[in-house]
Amino acid sequence: MTEKLSINGLKLSEPLALIQVHAPHATVGLLSPFCRLLAQHHVNIAFITTTAAIDSQPVVCCIDAKDQSVVEALTEQHERLRGYVHFCGRVGVVTFYPHHANLKFMGLALQVFSRNGIKVHALASSISALSFVVDFDRLEEAGRLLVEGFQLPENASPLRTDFKVRQERRPV
């Protein structure tokens, strides 16, 4: 039996809406106007990742599922964003905290998800966390699989946040 790699914790998100923003062959990226629009309307971004590309800057992000209809309406009314913002379903983010900064953790997590048919829509890494966007109806399973595949600290269990940080809506 092989020894499990240690992780410091595991966190599961609430239901989120997955958004892809992409304009093929755009002369100017859409990241800035998209983020500005969300900020102006006090919509928090729970997850975001992007890449620099020669002819565009594709963005994948997640917002609270409750904000989806508002953001759909806002982006349809926005001249530069209309037609380039796509809502891709209900997802969740599973985040775990590697004990050591080691790319082995990402590879092992991806193998676990692949073996079990869990689609990863996006991922992000930092020195302290690895986050995977998966279908919300498979989020609990993804967390359970990581708990089985890695070693959590004693008496630890996957954490679900029970509070949200929201921007205050001020009267106009």
Side-chain angles (χ1 to χ4, degrees), residues 61-132:
C61 81
C62 298
I63 59 170
D64 190 315
K66 295 175 194 164
D67 291 330
Q68 180 173 339
S69 60
V70 170
V71 174
E72 283 178 324
L74 290 170
T75 57
E76 272 305 306
Q77 296 168 7
H78 194 280
E79 183 180 330
R80 284 187 55 206
L81 297 172
R82 186 179 311 112
Y84 300 118
V85 178
H86 307 283
F87 292 82
C88 307
R90 196 167 127 135
V91 296
V93 178
V94 57
T95 301
F96 71 95
Y97 305 92
H99 185 65
H100 303 284
N102 185 333
L103 285 178
K104 188 186 301 189
F105 288 95
M106 183 185 300
L108 290 173
L110 288 170
Q111 286 177 356
V112 166
F113 294 151
S114 178
R115 274 195 308 268
N116 290 280
I118 295 178
K119 181 179 180 179
V120 176
H121 296 280
L123 62 90
S125 69
S126 71
I127 197 162
S128 62
L130 294 171
S131 298
F132 300 88

Side-chain angles (χ1 to χ4, degrees), residues 17-60:
L18 178 64
I19 304 171
Q20 293 180 347
V21 182
H22 183 64
H25 310 295
T27 55
V28 178
L30 300 176
L31 176 62
S32 181
F34 178 71
C35 289
R36 191 175 313 113
L37 181 69
L38 295 184
Q40 288 170 346
H41 294 277
H42 308 283
V43 176
N44 290 328
I45 298 172
F47 174 94
I48 189 165
T49 188
T50 186
T51 183
I54 292 173
D55 59 356
S56 66
Q57 186 175 24
V59 177
V60 175

Side-chain angles (χ1 to χ4, degrees), residues 125-147:
S125 69
S126 71
I127 197 162
S128 62
L130 294 171
S131 298
F132 300 88
V133 178
V134 301
D135 292 325
F136 188 75
D137 62 355
R138 306 282 308 268
L139 183 64
E140 293 287 336
E141 180 184 2
R144 180 183 52 76
L145 290 167
L146 290 177
V147 167

Side-chain angles (χ1 to χ4, degrees), residues 141-163:
E141 180 184 2
R144 180 183 52 76
L145 290 167
L146 290 177
V147 167
E148 291 171 3
F150 294 99
Q151 180 65 48
L152 279 169
E154 195 172 322
N155 299 322
S157 62
L159 171 70
R160 274 218 185 257
T161 53
D162 56 354
F163 67 91

